[in-house]
Amino acid sequence: MAFVLAACLLDVALGDPVYRWHPVRLIGHLIEAFERPLFAVGLDGRLGGVLHWLLVVAGALGAWLLLRAGLGALHPWLALLWDLYLAYSLLALRGLAEQGWLILKDLDDLPAARRHLKALVGRDTKPLQRDGIVRATIESLSENLTDAVLTPLWALCLFGLPGLILVKTISTLDSMVGYRNARYARFGWAGARSDDLVHWLPARLSVVVIAAAAAMLRLHPRLALRAAWRHHHRLPSPNSGWSEAAFAGALRVRLLGPVWRKGRLVNTEFMGEPDWPADLGAADLRRALMLLVICCVIAVALGLALVGTG
């Protein structure tokens, strides 16, 4: 329990370290390094993708274990500090909220707000006005609550550092090869499906966490539960829609709306009830950020409880 709490406190105090040798960047280099020879010998289908998945996961876990063993041979405290550094680096309790606060701070400066938003979303940000920026930010915060906070945190609590490394490796695989395009439609299948699998339960549990946080903030917990059930299917992902719809209900706002990708309008429908507002502003984003913070506090408390009973 002390290890998990220390990692969380370090993440909240220091934020996500940004530098060349960040563990996630290294996992990304590992993914590229194993991908090239597999494609070179024609293993660019599902079999090659499964082999690639195994090599990357084994490489990430093996690198951690080898370095841990080497440091532990010098002094046991060095191995512990290595584990703590890695856990802190792979958690993202502060980073997500911090990016949202940057957008809120510069919301009156639309070009600056759009630049900050680019770090959170893959859609085109140039067409977005103030209301669209706020909706996109809330959508990204709520979706990443599962991917970046709940799943990694609870994996660490339940399965220790190997669980956290596995989850972050799978997420990085999905972000790099989990695309439905000509190159990765078959090769990236293992990365994409394993990502769906590891986030399946946390995505659904996120609805309970969001409803509890909404109750604490005197928002709309019942609407969070109802909206998650009614509107989670608005997104094609089997997981992302649950937390996003729950946020919409908790805040009693409509999300989504017009979405552009590579200059093409790919969505026009809204998520939420027709009488909920969609013209959102700074006050709505501020409420969303407070909701996110309370969700993170609840998630940490639940995680520590899991460690305590384990």
Side-chain angles (χ1 to χ4, degrees):
M1 182 183 293
F3 178 84
V4 174
L5 182 59
C8 291
L9 290 176
L10 278 173
D11 182 67
V12 171
L14 302 177
D16 196 30
V18 180
Y19 64 105
R20 184 178 180 182
W21 304 106
H22 189 285
V24 173
R25 287 178 179 264
L26 295 179
I27 292 171
H29 293 321
L30 198 63
I31 290 169
E32 293 174 343
F34 283 127
E35 178 185 331
R36 286 191 294 268
L38 289 171
F39 269 78
V41 298
L43 287 171
D44 55 359
R46 284 196 178 184
L47 177 60
V50 171
L51 181 58
H52 179 253
W53 189 97
L54 292 171
L55 288 170
V56 171
V57 168
L61 289 170
W64 161 64
L65 283 171
L66 283 173
L67 190 50
R68 189 180 194 278
L71 291 171
L74 295 174
H75 196 286
W77 278 100
L78 291 177
L80 178 61
L81 288 174
W82 163 241
D83 285 352
L84 185 59
Y85 160 76
L86 202 57
Y88 141 68
S89 298
L90 296 178
L91 294 175
L93 298 171
R94 173 172 167 170
L96 190 58
E98 198 168 42
Q99 198 64 36
W101 284 113
L102 286 175
I103 296 170
L104 176 62
K105 179 177 67 71
D106 287 337
L107 196 55
D108 292 328
D109 182 353
L110 293 186
R114 292 187 188 111
R115 284 196 300 272
H116 294 314
L117 182 60
K118 277 185 174 292
L120 285 176
V121 302
R123 73 186 68 178
D124 298 346
T125 58
K126 190 174 181 179
L128 297 177
Q129 298 304 310
R130 184 184 174 95
D131 63 326
I133 291 172
V134 173
R135 285 199 306 272
T137 304
I138 295 174
E139 290 159 26
S140 183
L141 295 176
S142 58
E143 180 179 345
N144 282 294
L145 172 64
T146 297
D147 297 355
V149 177
L150 301 186
T151 304
L153 174 62
W154 291 344
L156 175 63
C157 294
L158 285 171
F159 307 110
L161 196 50
L164 175 58
I165 295 170
L166 177 62
V167 162
K168 295 300 290 188
T169 302
I170 288 173
S171 292
T172 309
L173 275 163
D174 180 60
S175 68
M176 292 184 66
V177 302
Y179 296 103
R180 294 180 180 177
N181 56 26
R183 181 176 178 86
Y184 292 124
R186 299 176 68 241
F187 185 82
W189 174 85
R193 296 292 76 78
S194 59
D195 188 72
D196 290 342
L197 180 63
V198 298
H199 295 304
W200 191 92
L201 184 57
R204 284 142 186 85
L205 292 176
S206 73
V207 177
V208 180
V209 172
I210 293 166
M216 293 174 67
L217 292 172
R218 297 185 179 181
L219 295 174
H220 306 281
R222 291 184 180 180
L223 292 183
L225 296 172
R226 189 184 309 165
W229 182 255
R230 288 184 177 180
H231 300 291
H232 70 271
H233 65 278
R234 295 286 183 188
L235 296 182
S237 165
N239 298 322
S240 300
W242 290 94
S243 55
E244 193 167 316
F247 252 66
L251 299 169
R252 199 182 176 277
V253 299
R254 281 186 292 163
L255 300 176
L256 290 178
V259 176
W260 287 266
R261 294 187 188 276
K262 297 181 179 179
R264 188 166 63 93
L265 185 64
V266 297
N267 182 80
T268 57
E269 294 186 1
F270 285 88
M271 173 186 282
E273 300 301 323
D275 60 331
W276 295 355
D279 187 9
L280 309 184
D284 299 296
L285 182 51
R286 190 173 292 108
R287 287 190 303 142
L289 284 165
M290 289 303 301
L291 183 62
L292 176 68
V293 169
I294 299 302
C295 285
C296 290
V297 172
I298 293 173
V300 171
L302 289 174
L304 292 176
L306 288 172
V307 175
T309 59

